[in-house]
Amino acid sequence: MFAVHLLSFYFSKLQEDQIKKVDRYLYAMRLSDDQLADISARFRQEMEKGLSNESNATAAVKMLPTHVYSTPDGSEKGEFLALDLGGSKFKVLQVKVSEDGKGKVQMESETFPIPEEVLNGRGSELFEHVAESLKSFLQKHHINHTRKPLGFTFSFPCAQSKIDEGVLLSWSKNFKARGVQGNNVVQLLRKAIRKVGGVDVDVLAMVNDTVGAMMTCGYDDQNCEVGVIIGTGTNACYMEELRHIDLVEGDEGRMCINTEWGAFGDDGVLDDFITSFDREIDAASINPGKQLFEKMVSGMYMGELVRLILLKMAKKGLLFRGQVSDALRTKGTFQTKHICLIEQYKGGLENTKEILEDLGLNPSEDDCIAVQHVCTIVSFRSANLVAAALAAILTRIRENKKLKTLRTTVGVDGTVYRTHPQYPKRLHKVVRHLVSDCHVRFVLSESGSAKGAAMVTAVAQRLASQRKEVDDTLAAFTLSSTQLQEVKAKMRVELERGLRKDSHPTASVKMLPTYVYRTPDGTERGKYLALDLGGTNFRVLVVKIRTGMRNSVRMYNKIYAIPLEIMQGTGEELFDHIVQCISDFLDYMGMKNTRLPLGFTFSFPCNQTGIDKGDLVCWTKGFKATDCEGYDVVDMLREAIKRRNEFDLDIVAIVNDTVGTMMTCAYEDPKCQIGLIAGTGSNVCYMEEMKNIELVQGDEGQMCVNTEWGGFGANDNIEDIRTRYDREVDGGSLNPGKQRFEKMTSGMYLGEIVRQILIDLTKHGLLFRGRITERLKTKGIFETKFLSQIESDRLALLQVRSILQHLGLDSTCDDSIIVKEVCGAVSRRAAQLCGAGMAAIVDKIRENRGLDHLEITVGVDGTLYKLHPHFSTILKDTVRELAPNCKVDFILSEDGSGKGAALITAVAQQHNIEKQEPQ
């Protein structure tokens, strides 16, 4: 028993001595954690260089765009063909993807050899050989009865400007076919297919084998967003944010980047890690100075690297008693497959002895131990280097997504990863050590990169089909110049009908007289009380206007909420609540005993028979208080003040918020004679000639007309541009059939239109994986403010996804792009419709005045105009296009309609004084 222990100890000591000997000799190949972190950081910098327009030309890591915008989502279906060209043989496959999206993929394949003379001949001969083989496969499997989409895996560096286009940058892997480099290989394949004839295929996509591996794994695991090849060559791809890819136009979404990381170090950044053995390998290769990382990592070179090390150690007397065989001196005799056999858990030493003997050597036991350790160091360094570069990619993805912890999947293929007994475990362990904040799952690409080409084709076809469905859905929101001109013309007709006595009752645009006869002239002065009711908030203000100076208005205000039960209760309850708020404000200001002139901004359609008389036509914006419609709101306010019996007010004027906005802006700019509200509601007012207003006596001078254009369309004259989503929103509103134009243009409804579209797209499986959540079914959940946020140019898709997740919508990157498009289509149409309406009004004013050219200013208020990133620009562009003879400036009402109410009150008081003065 003692002898057995002694022998065991001796063998362990012998093994330890051999390992130390090799470690000392190959110390430069053993990489510490700090060194790996350093290499990872350097690769990260190289990625940045490759992505940047400025530095891409000189970057070693080319970061090639693939124009693959999405990984599989499981909904792909159909039959596809795939070609896989990347070695001395190529493969043709038929891939059938089941419709149920349960990962059922059936494949038939055949491998065809490529003769040496074809590899080294003319490029046309190579592609004709491929086309002939494809034809043979189709005939053998009776496939050629219908046109089939085909994906082409081409495992060489290519510059792609489209998914179905790839210009070969350089051959590798012993390919030397002439006339291919610098040409579009898809075009060469199509040309060969046409020449061969009898092959009815549509080449839809060309992909790199690395992309193919990612897409293959991505079909089974939808978290897969990285592909790695560790085989004869090595490479990686991953899904990058489009906004970071300078070489490609567009900022929305993601695109797969083929890193071509085999060239990492070609610019010298790895010189301090490259050993003398690596330099010797490089010098003897067919491409010295190129693909240096690949030469340290891949299966094409690892065996040769071990052979060189063994040869040098033998010459130094460290192995084989200093003896060297002819086979050991011969390049290519020791291959990576030998490393895999030598490093097997069981039988590794026996395999070592056998392999060395086949090389004409007579190894001792300790030679075998040493050789085994050399193989371990070389393969472990390969795994370490791959792990360092992969860690950089994973960190970049995590930071792109702004996550503390990333969960992702890496699809892997390649003979080294597949066949080396310990390589995968080493790689996984080092990656997890280097990026502890990334939980990484590694999946072996079971069916190779050819299936991936089919999946890329399937995804491309799915995206094209989805794109068409989305485009068809949103096409209804795209208005042509002709349609906008028609809207302008129809609006003009309704403006005229609203002004005339005979047609006013049936006009959809009511053109309500406001009894405001002029805009401010700067002589207004005094202290006024103003009320502002137009939404869920109610504002009370004191406004002080100093005489003789514009821009000399001081305001004090307080905002009060109007609860829903008050909005939709009785009229008496509503006005009692308003008076309660006024009482609180007067107490707050210490003004209970002061009787100030008051202007009441009341932002609902009213029939006015005087500046202080207005019958409510109908409620809008969610108000439904009973016993108000048809009654004078000023009288209702006076009665509520009497009921409270605490204070008295001199109600001089009732004004619409649109008129208040015009007056506020006109105080700053005398050319302002139009007011526009583009917010919760939508409306316009303007100064009309008295002679055109048949509802009011008198032909001299002007009066502001409150158009109430939100009602435009009530007589079905814009049905041709209303969509089923507009009708859905209208049907679910508090006032079906009314305010149709407002429901297409205002903030109260745009979010709801978007929600209806999202539901429809989800039902068709185009969004949110076809799952309609309870939140998405909830009316009003998609507020219009989300449109403004989602369409912000500064907002990355990641933040769009965050907004959607806040709404309970688990979205992909593709979902976010579509949602952004939907928001854009809805808001663009709203701005264009407002622009068409405004064009009708400015042209009417120009014609009223008999001018060839009009210069006028529009005062604007409303959250949609103020906060939406594109609404105001589209509105202005539309007015410019539809009313070319009018120069229209837009100024923002900074102080709201409350200040306007005070100015109207001041103007009205002056007007009353002027009327009372003897002529």
Side-chain angles (χ1 to χ4, degrees):
M1 180 61 76
F2 175 71
V4 171
H5 282 300
L6 188 64
L7 186 64
S8 174
F9 172 75
Y10 171 76
F11 186 77
S12 299
K13 191 81 174 73
L14 175 72
Q15 202 169 22
E16 187 183 315
D17 289 345
Q18 294 307 312
I19 288 170
K20 282 182 177 176
K21 176 174 70 176
V22 173
D23 282 347
R24 280 195 299 274
Y25 190 71
L26 297 179
Y27 72 93
M29 284 191 165
R30 296 178 67 82
L31 301 170
S32 67
D33 287 352
D34 287 345
Q35 287 174 310
L36 290 175
D38 184 13
I39 291 167
S40 189
R42 294 184 199 191
F43 185 69
R44 182 73 188 273
Q45 289 177 334
E46 292 299 298
M47 290 170 73
E48 298 278 1
K49 279 188 200 173
L51 289 170
S52 167
N53 234 342
E54 294 174 4
S55 50
N56 176 269
T58 57
V61 179
K62 283 299 180 189
M63 304 294 282
L64 302 172
T66 66
H67 297 270
V68 172
Y69 292 93
S70 178
T71 52
D73 69 357
S75 68
E76 292 76 16
K77 59 181 184 286
E79 294 182 15
F80 306 92
L81 292 169
L83 285 179
D84 188 0
L85 179 63
S88 58
K89 298 175 182 178
F90 77 94
K91 191 185 280 188
V92 183
L93 298 91
Q94 182 187 29
V95 181
K96 295 180 181 178
V97 186
S98 65
E99 192 169 342
D100 58 12
K102 299 279 172 60
K104 292 179 185 172
V105 178
Q106 294 175 290
M107 292 192 296
E108 290 181 277
S109 68
E110 192 173 340
T111 302
F112 296 87
I114 304 177
E116 190 75 25
E117 63 271 18
V118 174
L119 278 177
N120 299 316
R122 291 199 306 271
S124 57
E125 292 171 351
L126 171 64
F127 285 100
E128 282 165 25
H129 176 73
V130 170
E132 290 281 6
S133 304
L134 173 61
K135 183 177 181 179
S136 168
F137 178 84
L138 295 176
Q139 288 173 343
K140 181 178 176 181
H141 295 276
H142 310 290
I143 294 171
N144 222 10
H145 53 278
T146 56
R147 190 171 181 82
K148 289 282 189 293
L150 181 142
F152 182 25
T153 301
F154 188 72
S155 307
F156 305 93
C158 285
Q160 286 189 261
S161 57
K162 293 189 291 188
I163 186 74
D164 62 347
E165 182 182 287
V167 175
L168 178 65
L169 299 176
S170 61
W171 281 120
S172 58
K173 307 176 196 174
N174 297 324
F175 273 68
K176 292 179 182 174
R178 299 183 301 279
V180 182
Q181 195 167 328
N183 287 306
N184 177 4
V185 294
V186 175
Q187 202 57 43
L188 293 173
L189 176 62
R190 285 173 175 157
K191 187 177 177 182
I193 288 170
R194 282 196 300 272
K195 185 174 180 182
V196 166
V199 179
D200 193 13
V201 299
D202 188 6
V203 186
L204 288 185
M206 191 207 85
V207 297
N208 182 277
D209 56 343
T210 321
V211 181
M214 179 188 77
M215 297 296 276
T216 299
C217 298
Y219 185 70
D220 300 315
D221 182 340
Q222 283 152 35
N223 287 322
C224 185
E225 53 192 340
V226 183
V228 175
I229 298 285
I230 314 157
T232 309
T234 186
N235 195 12
C237 68
Y238 73 102
M239 296 302 291
E240 175 61 86
E241 302 295 318
L242 252 176
R243 68 182 185 276
H244 296 151
I245 309 172
D246 287 358
L247 301 177
V248 177
E249 285 187 17
D251 294 328
E252 305 297 347
R254 302 198 299 171
M255 181 186 285
C256 179
I257 286 290
N258 167 22
T259 66
E260 288 296 339
W261 75 7
F264 179 34
D266 288 6
D267 55 357
V269 297
L270 289 179
D271 281 0
D272 47 336
F273 291 103
I274 293 174
T275 67
S276 59
F277 310 112
D278 298 311
R279 295 189 196 285
E280 201 166 327
I281 289 279
D282 178 46
S285 69
I286 60 170
N287 56 349
K290 294 183 177 178
Q291 300 294 105
L292 296 182
F293 185 71
E294 184 168 78
K295 288 167 185 171
M296 298 166 77
V297 163
S298 76
M300 190 167 180
Y301 302 98
M302 269 202 288
E304 184 62 10
L305 198 53
V306 169
R307 185 190 70 81
L308 274 179
I309 293 166
L310 299 185
L311 182 62
K312 288 180 181 297
M313 288 184 75
K315 285 180 176 179
K316 285 181 178 288
L318 297 171
L319 282 175
F320 317 128
R321 294 172 296 281
Q323 293 176 349
V324 178
S325 67
D326 287 343
L328 189 61
R329 287 194 187 94
T330 306
K331 182 181 176 182
T333 53
F334 196 99
Q335 296 174 13
T336 300
K337 67 180 180 182
H338 296 135
I339 296 176
C340 297
L341 290 167
I342 286 169
E343 289 197 69
Q344 281 184 357
Y345 291 107
K346 292 180 180 178
L349 283 175
E350 289 86 346
N351 292 341
T352 308
K353 191 172 190 300
E354 190 178 315
I355 290 163
L356 293 173
E357 286 173 348
D358 285 347
L359 290 171
L361 297 164
N362 184 23
S364 65
E365 189 77 44
D366 45 340
D367 284 337
C368 291
I369 292 166
V371 169
Q372 192 178 46
H373 194 52
V374 169
C375 291
T376 299
I377 287 175
V378 169
S379 64
F380 214 135
R381 183 185 71 154
S382 169
N384 277 337
L385 289 170
V386 169
L390 182 54
I393 289 174
L394 294 168
T395 300
R396 182 170 180 84
I397 292 172
R398 182 182 61 77
E399 290 178 2
N400 279 349
K401 294 184 175 184
K402 294 182 170 57
L403 297 173
K404 287 185 179 177
T405 305
L406 173 71
R407 288 189 179 276
T408 193
T409 299
V410 177
V412 197
D413 203 357
T415 49
V416 172
Y417 188 87
R418 282 175 177 276
T419 61
H420 193 290
Q422 300 181 61
Y423 198 100
K425 186 184 285 186
R426 290 172 185 165
L427 175 67
H428 304 169
K429 185 176 179 181
V430 179
V431 167
R432 286 166 183 147
H433 181 67
L434 289 175
V435 281
S436 56
D437 45 11
C438 297
H439 300 301
V440 188
R441 180 174 181 242
F442 290 84
V443 175
L444 185 64
S445 173
E446 293 295 345
S447 309
S449 51
K451 176 185 170 185
M455 294 316 307
V456 169
T457 308
V459 168
Q461 200 173 61
R462 166 175 65 80
L463 291 178
S465 172
Q466 288 179 345
R467 177 76 270 151
K468 186 177 183 309
E469 283 197 63
V470 171
D471 287 347
D472 288 349
T473 299
L474 298 184
F477 290 86
T478 303
L479 300 176
S480 66
S481 292
T482 304
Q483 285 175 306
L484 290 170
Q485 287 283 7
E486 286 173 2
V487 171
K488 175 190 170 186
K490 288 173 182 177
M491 178 67 83
R492 177 65 185 269
V493 168
E494 289 302 301
L495 296 176
E496 302 288 0
R497 290 184 74 240
L499 288 170
R500 290 200 310 272
K501 216 171 204 172
D502 61 342
S503 52
H504 178 83
T506 58
S508 63
V509 179
K510 285 301 179 190
M511 305 296 282
L512 304 172
T514 65
Y515 296 87
V516 172
Y517 292 95
R518 66 170 175 85
T519 54
D521 61 8
T523 62
E524 297 77 15
R525 68 180 187 276
K527 187 187 286 188
Y528 303 90
L529 197 63
L531 311 179
D532 187 359
L533 177 67
T536 53
N537 289 330
F538 170 63
R539 199 157 58 120
V540 188
L541 308 89
V542 167
V543 183
K544 294 180 181 176
I545 306 172
R546 290 165 60 192
T547 186
M549 295 173 62
R550 291 187 182 272
N551 303 313
S552 55
V553 176
R554 294 179 69 187
M555 295 192 298
Y556 307 89
N557 73 86
K558 206 169 176 185
I559 295 172
Y560 300 88
I562 303 221
L564 186 64
E565 61 270 20
I566 297 289
M567 287 169 63
Q568 299 183 4
T570 66
E572 197 169 286
E573 288 169 340
L574 173 62
F575 282 93
D576 283 347
H577 180 76
I578 288 170
V579 171
Q580 162 66 43
C581 297
I582 298 169
S583 174
D584 176 80
F585 179 77
L586 294 174
D587 280 338
Y588 172 74
M589 295 295 295
M591 297 172 61
K592 265 278 175 69
N593 299 317
T594 309
R595 191 172 188 268
L596 293 179
L598 180 144
F600 184 13
T601 300
F602 187 74
S603 307
F604 303 93
C606 284
N607 269 326
Q608 284 188 253
T609 53
I611 188 72
D612 63 346
K613 295 178 175 62
D615 295 343
L616 176 64
V617 175
C618 63
W619 283 120
T620 57
K621 306 173 196 172
F623 277 74
K624 282 192 87 172
T626 58
D627 302 322
C628 294
E629 292 180 1
Y631 292 93
D632 186 337
V633 293
V634 175
D635 285 347
M636 285 191 275
L637 178 60
R638 284 179 176 141
E639 285 166 14
I641 292 169
K642 281 181 188 173
R643 278 197 298 275
R644 191 165 185 93
N645 198 27
E646 281 184 14
F647 53 86
D648 191 21
L649 297 173
D650 177 16
I651 304 172
V652 173
I654 177 171
V655 296
N656 182 276
D657 57 342
T658 322
V659 183
T661 296
M662 180 189 76
M663 297 294 275
T664 300
C665 294
Y667 189 67
E668 316 293 335
D669 180 350
K671 285 197 298 181
C672 180
Q673 295 202 312
I674 304 174
L676 166 66
I677 296 288
T680 309
S682 178
N683 195 17
V684 165
C685 69
Y686 72 102
M687 297 304 293
E688 178 59 88
E689 304 303 311
M690 280 288 290
K691 63 178 184 287
N692 295 332
I693 309 172
E694 294 184 7
L695 300 177
V696 178
Q697 288 183 341
D699 291 335
E700 297 300 320
Q702 295 178 324
M703 179 185 285
C704 178
V705 168
N706 167 22
T707 66
E708 288 296 340
W709 78 0
F712 180 44
N715 51 4
D716 296 340
N717 59 348
I718 54 170
E719 286 307 293
D720 56 322
I721 60 168
R722 286 179 82 219
T723 68
R724 56 197 166 106
Y725 307 107
D726 296 311
R727 294 185 179 96
E728 189 81 30
V729 169
D730 180 36
S733 69
L734 292 171
N735 54 350
K738 296 179 180 178
Q739 299 296 104
R740 291 181 189 179
F741 189 69
E742 182 169 77
K743 287 168 186 170
M744 298 166 78
T745 56
S746 76
M748 186 163 184
Y749 299 98
L750 298 189
E752 188 59 14
I753 295 171
V754 168
R755 188 182 72 87
Q756 292 294 340
I757 299 170
L758 299 187
I759 287 174
D760 191 42
L761 292 177
T762 307
K763 280 179 184 173
H764 287 86
L766 301 171
L767 276 178
F768 313 132
R769 300 179 182 86
R771 292 194 288 269
I772 300 176
T773 63
E774 287 304 315
R775 292 287 295 279
L776 189 56
K777 291 178 190 173
T778 307
K779 185 180 172 183
I781 190 71
F782 205 99
E783 296 173 50
T784 298
K785 69 177 181 182
F786 294 134
L787 272 74
S788 300
Q789 292 169 4
I790 286 169
E791 289 187 68
S792 169
D793 295 327
R794 298 187 305 276
L795 206 62
L797 282 182
L798 203 64
Q799 291 160 290
V800 175
R801 286 181 73 181
S802 173
I803 291 168
L804 294 174
Q805 280 165 355
H806 174 69
L807 293 171
L809 303 170
D810 183 18
S811 68
T812 63
C813 183
D814 294 337
D815 291 337
S816 301
I817 293 170
I818 292 172
V819 170
K820 195 164 185 177
E821 284 182 42
V822 171
C823 292
V826 171
S827 63
R828 180 178 181 78
R829 184 191 66 165
Q832 287 179 317
L833 288 173
C834 285
M838 183 59 71
I841 285 169
V842 294
D843 258 348
K844 175 165 174 48
I845 294 171
R846 181 180 61 79
E847 290 173 20
N848 282 349
R849 299 178 187 179
L851 300 173
D852 292 329
H853 184 80
L854 173 72
E855 290 190 15
I856 198 164
T857 299
V858 179
V860 196
D861 203 354
T863 50
L864 195 56
Y865 187 94
K866 285 181 176 179
L867 302 180
H868 192 281
H870 309 301
F871 188 94
S872 60
T873 304
I874 296 165
L875 168 64
K876 292 171 189 174
D877 289 346
T878 307
V879 174
R880 197 177 302 117
E881 181 190 343
L882 299 182
N885 297 322
C886 301
K887 182 181 181 295
V888 185
D889 291 323
F890 291 79
I891 62 170
L892 208 52
S893 169
E894 295 298 340
D895 301 309
S897 49
K899 175 179 169 183
L903 286 165
I904 289 169
T905 305
V907 169
Q909 277 194 317
Q910 281 187 342
H911 180 75
N912 290 337
I913 292 166
E914 288 164 8
K915 274 173 60 178
Q916 290 164 10
E917 286 176 355
Q919 297 296 312

